[in-house]
Amino acid sequence: MEEKETEKEKRIDRDKDTDRVKDKEKFRYHTFRMVSVGVVDEPINQAYDVISTVALLVNLAVMIMNTFDNLSDKYGNLFSILEQITVFFFVVDYFLRVYTAKYLYPEYDSGKATLRYIISFAGIIDLLSFLPFYLPVFFPSGAAVFRMFRVARIMRLFRINAYYDSLNVITEVLSSKKQQLLSSVFIILVLMIASSLCMYSVENAAQPGVFENAFSGIWWSASTLLTVGYGDIYPITTMGKLLGIAITFLGVGMVAIPTGIISAGFVEQYTRLKRIGESGNQEDLRFIHLKLSARDDWTGKKIKDLHLPHGALIVVVQRGKDVIVPRGNTTLLSGDRIVIGAETLKDSTPINLRTFRLEKGHKWNGLAVRDLDISRQDFIIMVRRSGRSIVPKGDTVFRTGDEVVIYSQKKEQESEDETTV
């Protein structure tokens, strides 16, 4: 009897430990969504985005206004307090991102995900946002150098990328064309050194105080090749002037190379996006894009074991920067982005589906599905919220930003004649 009671107590303790772990992970996941830029499905997430943006803008404004002597003398104490508050927020933000790194990189375990964030570009910028502020306390002699690193805070503005796809296009273009851009920069450096050596050979005898050695003309060649033309160093011999004219013409062409590469990248990117958008409207095939997480049933399974319906197949698997054409033995992993293609049905009765987005102030916001006054011929079949698909229940409450998919049994013409919700 005592053994049974002891076993029961152990089982209760294990259940409590499991519940505590689940609650901890749930808290970590909600924290991750809170610190993720652009996730505004909850009021606290939206408030955190606003606070984060305001803190950054206030910090940058204080840094700029502190450079004016009259403002610094008059409001120096206020600026110091504001900087301390905003930098402390950066500290809290950094450690929250470290704490939730496992959800930022779900393909890694907790320790590797944390390390991946710390050494990432975003992690280094977040660290430099507050570390130089506190380092002078321990190393007073390096205060001037540490102050220079505070400029890294402005890089946090790039997080606004999450709100604007146009800014994401810029990032994608620079990433896709980085090899060509590096090649053009290399060519400019070679020409810069060559022009410096040539100008030294021609001008050294006439201007030994200006062109003292082979590398003294680097500043002149840089300002000439990059078409700035500062004018503090210039050739005075006839041969030097002719050489300067030739190098200036080369400079115009050198600046045009990276400009043309970036312009071509923009054209290619927008053409690709347009082509993808048009391919989704083809009548023969339909494609859907999914991202697998560790919780999905498909994760860890081979494609041949998925038992997809006839006419549907996985056509592409994107894993990190690699694009894989899948085979039957390809194992799907957490974090994979997959594209599923399916044939369209010919001469079938159209299914009347409507999709709309709940904007701020919409009358459905805050209401549960059971409380909606809609036609009995309309059925809410899906709600898209922050990139997740939700099958609605009677107690599902609508929020601002939700995308609602409605199936209607009415005839298509009747639905078109009605005013969209």
Side-chain angles (χ1 to χ4, degrees), residues 152-347:
R153 295 171 192 168
I154 200 170
M155 302 295 289
R156 293 172 66 100
L157 286 172
F158 283 104
R159 283 215 171 95
I160 300 176
N161 259 6
Y163 290 108
Y164 301 105
D165 290 336
S166 56
L167 294 179
N168 289 328
V169 170
I170 297 175
T171 305
E172 291 173 3
V173 168
L174 294 178
S175 177
S176 63
K177 297 295 181 181
K178 62 182 178 182
Q179 294 296 335
Q180 295 92 323
L181 290 173
L182 288 174
S183 298
S184 65
V185 171
F186 176 75
I187 293 172
I188 292 174
L189 290 175
V190 170
L191 288 176
M192 194 180 297
I193 295 173
S195 62
S196 175
L197 291 170
C198 291
M199 192 57 68
Y200 165 76
S201 302
V202 174
E203 292 291 320
N204 175 254
Q207 302 184 79
V210 177
F211 293 91
E212 299 180 77
N213 49 55
F215 290 96
S216 60
I218 287 288
W219 168 246
W220 173 85
S221 61
S223 61
T224 303
L225 279 171
L226 301 178
T227 69
V228 178
Y230 192 72
D232 55 338
I233 299 177
Y234 54 89
I236 60 175
T237 65
T238 302
M239 189 63 187
K241 291 178 180 178
L242 292 174
L243 186 60
I245 292 173
I247 293 173
T248 302
F249 275 107
L250 285 175
V252 173
M254 289 303 98
V255 172
I257 290 176
T259 304
I261 291 172
I262 294 175
S263 299
F266 273 109
V267 173
E268 291 176 8
Q269 184 70 7
Y270 281 112
T271 302
R272 184 180 70 86
L273 293 175
K274 182 180 179 181
R275 185 170 61 251
I276 291 174
E278 290 176 348
S279 66
N281 295 324
Q282 299 295 325
E283 292 185 357
D284 295 333
L285 290 174
R286 290 289 187 271
F287 297 96
I288 60 173
H289 301 248
L290 300 173
K291 182 177 181 180
L292 296 181
S293 67
R295 298 183 298 272
D296 292 323
D297 292 337
W298 285 10
T299 302
K301 291 185 178 180
K302 294 182 179 180
I303 290 180
K304 65 181 181 181
D305 299 328
L306 299 182
H307 305 296
L308 293 172
H310 177 71
L313 69 160
I314 298 177
V315 294
V316 171
V317 176
Q318 183 179 359
R319 183 170 296 163
K321 295 182 178 180
D322 299 328
V323 177
I324 302 171
V325 178
R327 299 290 185 266
N329 291 325
T330 302
T331 301
L332 300 178
L333 304 177
S334 176
D336 284 353
R337 296 178 181 271
I338 62 175
V339 180
I340 301 177
E343 297 178 359
T344 57
L345 299 176
K346 301 295 183 180
D347 301 325

Side-chain angles (χ1 to χ4, degrees), residues 44-254:
I44 188 173
N45 299 347
Q46 189 171 9
Y48 190 88
D49 277 1
V50 173
I51 293 172
S52 179
T53 304
V54 170
L56 177 59
L57 294 177
V58 168
N59 187 277
L60 294 177
V62 167
M63 287 177 58
I64 294 172
M65 289 188 290
N66 245 332
T67 61
F68 295 90
D69 292 337
N70 56 335
L71 293 177
S72 181
D73 294 339
K74 191 173 181 179
Y75 303 105
N77 292 333
L78 176 61
F79 291 162
S80 178
I81 294 172
L82 289 175
E83 186 172 19
Q84 291 176 22
I85 294 173
T86 53
V87 169
F88 180 74
F89 175 81
F90 297 154
V91 175
V92 174
D93 179 78
Y94 177 77
F95 285 103
L96 287 178
R97 293 182 185 277
V98 170
Y99 174 65
T100 60
K102 64 176 294 185
Y103 289 105
L104 182 62
Y105 301 102
E107 64 272 21
Y108 300 103
D109 59 35
S110 183
K112 289 184 178 180
T114 301
L115 180 61
R116 178 70 184 271
Y117 166 72
I118 291 174
I119 64 176
S120 67
F121 178 76
I124 294 173
I125 292 300
D126 290 340
L127 183 64
L128 292 177
S129 297
F130 67 88
L131 191 60
F133 181 81
Y134 297 107
L135 283 178
V137 177
F138 306 99
F139 307 98
S141 59
V145 178
F146 297 145
R147 192 176 297 113
M148 179 184 66
F149 281 104
R150 296 181 187 181
V151 180
R153 295 171 192 168
I154 200 170
M155 302 295 289
R156 293 172 66 100
L157 286 172
F158 283 104
R159 283 215 171 95
I160 300 176
N161 259 6
Y163 290 108
Y164 301 105
D165 290 336
S166 56
L167 294 179
N168 289 328
V169 170
I170 297 175
T171 305
E172 291 173 3
V173 168
L174 294 178
S175 177
S176 63
K177 297 295 181 181
K178 62 182 178 182
Q179 294 296 335
Q180 295 92 323
L181 290 173
L182 288 174
S183 298
S184 65
V185 171
F186 176 75
I187 293 172
I188 292 174
L189 290 175
V190 170
L191 288 176
M192 194 180 297
I193 295 173
S195 62
S196 175
L197 291 170
C198 291
M199 192 57 68
Y200 165 76
S201 302
V202 174
E203 292 291 320
N204 175 254
Q207 302 184 79
V210 177
F211 293 91
E212 299 180 77
N213 49 55
F215 290 96
S216 60
I218 287 288
W219 168 246
W220 173 85
S221 61
S223 61
T224 303
L225 279 171
L226 301 178
T227 69
V228 178
Y230 192 72
D232 55 338
I233 299 177
Y234 54 89
I236 60 175
T237 65
T238 302
M239 189 63 187
K241 291 178 180 178
L242 292 174
L243 186 60
I245 292 173
I247 293 173
T248 302
F249 275 107
L250 285 175
V252 173
M254 289 303 98

